[in-house]
Amino acid sequence: AEFDWGLQLINAHTISDKWQRGEATVEMQLTPEGRALFGPLEAPLKVRYENGPVIGQLDLEGMPPFRTLATYATEIAENDSPVGIMKGSPAMAEAPFGEGRVIIFSPHPENTPGLERMLPLAIVRLATSAKPQAMKE
């Protein structure tokens, strides 16, 4: 939400402008809110990461804070990107937007064997008010 070219869908900012952190399989863990959406998946979850920003909560007036659905448990910090900012930061987040909500993904569960169903579960949550069927361990 901090960039003039951004859509301002979620009250978040990038912690570092060095978003080319590298490509690797990293670990993340679901928060209680994430487990309610995706199911009681065993932590840590190995997930595909391909560059991208590391986000933090922003405090823009009129925008509600986001809820963290998953956090990174490990990190990658190549290409002179700062070390120590990815671990513990949000990997997935959800926030109200207008009369609906938005969910953002930093990693790529759709490209991770065993986690492909996360994206369709998120879409169902965004498209309906009904609770989607969570993934099983």
Side-chain angles (χ1 to χ4, degrees):
E2 67 188 327
F3 298 109
D4 59 0
W5 50 264
L7 297 176
Q8 296 192 349
L9 298 176
I10 190 167
N11 204 355
H13 71 104
T14 56
I15 296 173
S16 168
D17 61 355
K18 298 206 176 209
W19 56 270
Q20 292 181 312
R21 300 184 67 78
E23 298 179 16
T25 297
V26 297
E27 294 179 353
M28 70 175 181
Q29 53 194 32
L30 297 175
T31 64
E33 293 87 356
R35 286 191 296 280
L37 175 57
F38 300 115
L41 302 175
E42 188 176 324
L45 299 171
K46 295 188 182 304
V47 65
R48 180 82 183 137
Y49 175 83
E50 296 179 32
N51 297 301
V54 175
I55 67 162
Q57 194 74 248
L58 194 56
D59 190 24
L60 286 180
E61 187 175 328
M63 288 188 80
F66 64 79
R67 293 181 333 147
T68 301
L69 300 175
T71 58
Y72 285 111
T74 60
E75 76 174 348
I76 181 172
E78 296 176 352
N79 304 313
D80 296 321
S81 59
V83 175
I85 66 168
M86 189 171 172
K87 188 175 179 179
S89 73
M92 299 177 189
E94 174 185 44
F97 183 77
E99 293 185 26
R101 62 184 143 241
V102 63
I103 296 175
I104 62 168
F105 291 79
S106 176
H108 292 277
E110 79 285 355
N111 191 21
T112 305
L115 299 182
E116 301 92 338
R117 194 158 171 241
M118 284 184 153
L119 189 58
L121 285 169
I123 292 169
V124 168
R125 175 156 172 83
L126 296 173
T128 67
S129 59
K131 184 177 177 183
Q133 181 68 28
M135 297 172 63
K136 298 192 185 328
E137 285 190 53

